[in-house]
Amino acid sequence: MSTLDKINQWKKERDAVILAHYYVDDEVQAIADYVGDSFYLSKIATMVKAKTILFCGVSFMGESAKILNPDKTVVMPDMGADCPMAHMADIDKINQAREEYEDLAVVCYINSTAQLKTYSDVCVTSSNALKIVKALPNQHIYFIPDENLGRYIASQAPEKHFIFNDGYCHVHTSITAKNVQIVKDIHPRAEILVHPECTMDVIAMADYVGSTSGIITYAAESKCKEFIVCTEMGVRYELELKKPKKRFYDVGQKKCSDMKRITLDNVADALEQMSNVVELEEELLEKARKPLERMLELG
Ligand code: 13P
Ligand code: SF4
């Protein structure tokens, strides 16, 4: 039996739906029922009817799906696929900031562990962070864990006072302004599309800044025919599906090695064996749900 047949058979058997992020390999995106950015996937996870969610992404995504759907079984193809940035915030520093500022909102990027979420007031993704920060009544915002997304949102919300944390994504910080300029010199008509996990000097060069879905929608709707893509190049699969005649250039960025751990083989095995089930303690589930639900309300 082929791997694809195996996946289809076990999907039926397990009453499973497959969700995938744009950064996983092309063939995995191709077999998914829903592909999207972090916000879309967390919303979809609350809407699907299937008993089992197989999440082709990194662990914070599977955790978020479980937190929002405690009665469903959430399975990961590879439990080792973990976003390093999700761990890059310090609970002592959060507590210190809460003591220092009475009117503080801890705003937590969804790329974070379930434990970090429990110390937060609201979660955000790159597609809704600005809207949510602006909607908060608080003046002081402690943005965790990503410094670059925090600085970009701060630049768009000057009425708020931000405290930054020093987390970062190694994929997006591997994109340098110098390399973007080299590609722009070769393709001067290309528009520059930038994910806000990039550094501010790269963001300053952008024609468009947004989440993976935002980048895909912008490129599809733009009159321009060529684009310099400043995010993980897994997005190229959807970009080329949507606009096969347009050109998409990379800037020599790193791959997200964690997202690339997901393969058709481990998708099939996870469904068959049901071994990589996301399990979180009841108290953790309860506490981490509040900031995620607040995100869904405000976002
Ligand atoms: P979005 O898909 O929300 O743009 O996030 C990118 C990312 O780094 C996911 O890990
Ligand atoms: Fe984490 Fe960066 Fe990979 Fe996204 S691209 S999962 S932020 S390491």
Side-chain angles (χ1 to χ4, degrees):
M1 197 193 285
S2 75
T3 312
L4 277 184
D5 289 341
K6 220 169 129 183
I7 291 172
N8 285 327
Q9 183 198 316
W10 285 108
K11 237 180 95 175
K12 271 200 208 114
E13 202 107 4
R14 304 296 187 206
D15 185 20
V17 64
I18 302 182
L19 272 50
H21 189 268
Y22 289 125
Y23 294 164
V24 298
D25 274 333
D26 298 1
E27 67 260 31
V28 179
Q29 292 189 49
I31 55 103
D33 298 296
Y34 300 94
V35 186
D37 71 357
S38 313
F39 186 46
Y40 172 79
L41 292 173
S42 58
K43 268 193 313 189
I44 281 290
T46 64
M47 292 161 148
V48 292
K49 297 271 181 294
K51 272 200 298 208
T52 305
I53 296 175
L54 181 93
F55 214 123
C56 300
V58 288
S59 49
F60 76 81
M61 296 179 168
E63 283 181 356
S64 299
K66 180 68 187 174
I67 293 164
L68 289 166
N69 304 279
D71 298 333
K72 290 205 192 286
T73 305
V74 179
V75 181
M76 304 296 289
D78 184 331
M79 287 301 229
D82 191 9
C83 168
M85 181 166 67
H87 302 266
M88 292 183 188
D90 191 88
I91 286 154
D92 289 340
K93 284 192 190 153
I94 298 174
N95 290 335
Q96 260 172 33
R98 285 208 189 273
E99 269 176 37
E100 201 171 327
Y101 299 96
E102 214 179 289
D103 169 39
L104 184 82
V106 177
V107 176
C108 186
Y109 191 24
I110 198 166
N111 298 36
S112 51
T113 60
Q115 198 213 13
L116 277 177
K117 288 181 175 75
T118 67
Y119 287 84
S120 311
D121 296 297
V122 64
C123 286
V124 296
T125 73
S126 52
S127 66
N128 61 30
L130 182 60
K131 186 176 174 194
I132 291 177
V133 163
K134 281 187 174 283
L136 290 173
N138 314 66
Q139 172 64 19
H140 303 289
I141 307 292
Y142 187 29
F143 197 97
I144 59 168
D146 188 13
E147 176 171 358
N148 294 308
L149 178 62
R151 288 195 183 277
Y152 172 65
I153 299 301
S155 73
Q156 306 295 302
E159 71 277 18
K160 302 277 181 182
H161 168 244
F162 275 70
I163 303 127
F164 300 109
N165 175 68
D166 55 5
Y168 63 93
C169 162
H170 68 99
V171 176
H172 289 88
T173 53
S174 74
I175 298 171
T176 62
K178 190 171 156 218
N179 282 357
V180 177
Q181 191 57 56
I182 290 170
V183 181
K184 179 75 177 170
D185 290 343
I186 301 169
H187 305 286
R189 280 203 291 266
E191 287 191 320
I192 301 174
L193 313 177
V194 178
H195 194 281
E197 286 177 18
C198 291
T199 52
M200 284 303 272
D201 53 347
V202 173
I203 289 177
M205 301 171 80
D207 294 289
Y208 174 79
V209 183
S211 75
T212 49
S213 289
I215 285 174
I216 290 163
T217 306
Y218 180 89
E221 288 173 0
S222 167
K223 287 197 179 71
C224 193
K225 301 252 178 308
E226 37 181 358
F227 303 89
I228 297 166
V229 180
C230 300
T231 188
E232 217 277 355
M233 285 310 288
V235 295
R236 184 185 262 155
Y237 178 69
E238 183 71 20
L239 286 167
E240 287 177 348
L241 268 185
K242 275 204 156 68
K243 291 288 160 188
K245 292 201 179 119
K246 292 191 176 186
R247 292 262 163 275
F248 303 101
Y249 310 118
D250 68 74
V251 288
Q253 60 268 59
K254 284 201 225 166
K255 284 184 176 182
C256 179
S257 47
D258 283 281
M259 291 282 192
K260 305 305 185 208
R261 290 172 74 126
I262 314 304
T263 63
L264 290 182
D265 284 333
N266 57 29
V267 166
D269 290 348
L271 282 172
E272 182 178 353
Q273 293 158 17
M274 294 293 274
S275 47
N276 298 335
V277 174
V278 178
E279 314 260 19
L280 297 170
E281 279 172 24
E282 199 55 41
E283 201 189 335
L284 186 58
L285 277 175
E286 290 292 318
K287 286 192 180 160
R289 188 171 307 126
K290 283 194 193 110
L292 276 170
E293 283 184 343
R294 201 162 174 213
M295 171 185 85
L296 294 177
E297 275 159 36
L298 295 172

